[in-house]
Amino acid sequence: DNPVADSVAFALWLHLGTVFSALVALRVEIIGVVGDTLRNPLKPTRMAVYLVAATLISGIVGFPLLLGIDELSGRIGAVAMGVVGALMLITGGLQVRRKQGGTRTREDVTMLDAALTGIAQGFSALPGLSRSGLTVSALLARQVDRREALVLSFLLSIPASLGGGLYAAIDGEIYTSGSAIVALVVAAIVGFVTIRALMNVAERVNFGLFVIVVGASIIGGAAWQGLR
């Protein structure tokens, strides 16, 4: 058994809990996207196109990483984490210096936004990288409003987390245990509380600080992994 692969698989399993929390917390946004698409399927909104494109791109980037996690060198992973962490520190620093956050909304997102956030979410398959931290950072760097960045990030997490969790469940044999089910329920509850809390403070908090903290923690994890 590979302990790194086992840890990643269990983390993916727990992401199924965050699927349920996102579905409940963002039910209004989800109903809006689905309703708009069903009413005019031949002319989808920019947000719908963004979500589909970013999901496909994240799968193209992330699935090969997930399959190759057993062969991934710890040193290569540490270097990748360090680079990502440094980029997040730069992004966070720029956000802190700005007096105002971005003003772009979900109706302004482009294919470039989809590509950047899709790549960011794909790379979060590597151990130690924060999916929400990476995708929110990418959106903030593109001058998306802070609350809108959270909404887009959490909506984007639903298909990715569902796919990753099902992959882990099918590939593993430990997820029918009582402890695994309890962990899933706890993840769902914590995820819901976290999403609602972040939404409530989004317009009052400079998310540059959040990005800096996540970036610093990733660099710390990279340093620890590189020294093992």
Side-chain angles (χ1 to χ4, degrees):
D1 287 347
N2 186 320
V4 173
D6 291 343
S7 298
V8 170
F10 195 71
L12 290 174
W13 163 253
L14 294 181
H15 280 323
L16 280 178
T18 64
V19 171
F20 294 116
S21 57
L23 287 173
V24 175
L26 299 174
R27 59 190 180 279
V28 174
E29 287 82 0
I30 294 170
I31 291 173
V33 173
V34 174
D36 289 341
T37 303
L38 291 177
R39 278 191 295 271
N40 199 349
L42 298 180
K43 193 176 180 181
T45 63
R46 283 196 175 195
M47 184 177 177
V49 173
Y50 163 86
L51 291 173
V52 172
T55 297
L56 291 174
I57 292 169
S58 65
I60 292 170
V61 174
F63 195 60
L65 291 176
L66 192 60
L67 291 177
I69 202 72
D70 288 341
E71 288 74 33
L72 183 66
S73 164
R75 191 166 298 277
I76 293 175
V79 171
M81 287 171 61
V83 171
V84 170
L87 292 173
M88 290 185 69
L89 288 181
I90 294 171
T91 301
L94 293 174
Q95 291 296 320
V96 167
R97 291 185 62 184
R98 292 193 180 103
K99 299 296 183 182
Q100 301 292 332
T103 57
R104 297 177 64 222
T105 70
R106 66 193 72 178
E107 296 305 325
D108 300 323
V109 287
T110 64
M111 287 301 293
L112 179 57
D113 298 317
L116 292 175
T117 48
I119 291 170
Q121 180 164 266
F123 273 107
S124 68
L126 292 172
L129 296 185
S130 166
R131 191 213 64 82
S132 58
L134 291 177
T135 52
V136 168
S137 296
L139 291 166
L140 292 177
R142 293 283 297 159
Q143 293 299 294
V144 174
D145 173 78
R146 288 171 289 197
R147 191 179 190 282
E148 293 286 271
L150 285 173
V151 170
L152 290 170
S153 174
F154 288 127
L155 287 176
L156 191 57
S157 75
I158 294 173
S161 297
L162 182 61
L166 292 177
Y167 170 80
I170 293 171
D171 193 52
E173 299 177 356
I174 64 171
Y175 306 122
T176 55
S177 66
S179 59
I181 300 299
V182 170
L184 190 70
V185 173
V186 171
I189 295 172
V190 172
F192 176 80
V193 172
T194 301
I195 292 172
R196 297 312 303 173
L198 286 173
M199 291 298 180
N200 289 334
V201 304
E203 297 303 331
R204 301 192 294 272
V205 174
N206 190 321
F207 266 54
L209 297 175
F210 164 75
V211 175
I212 288 174
V213 170
V214 174
S217 66
I218 288 175
I219 291 175
W224 177 80
Q225 184 171 316
L227 292 173
R228 284 194 304 170

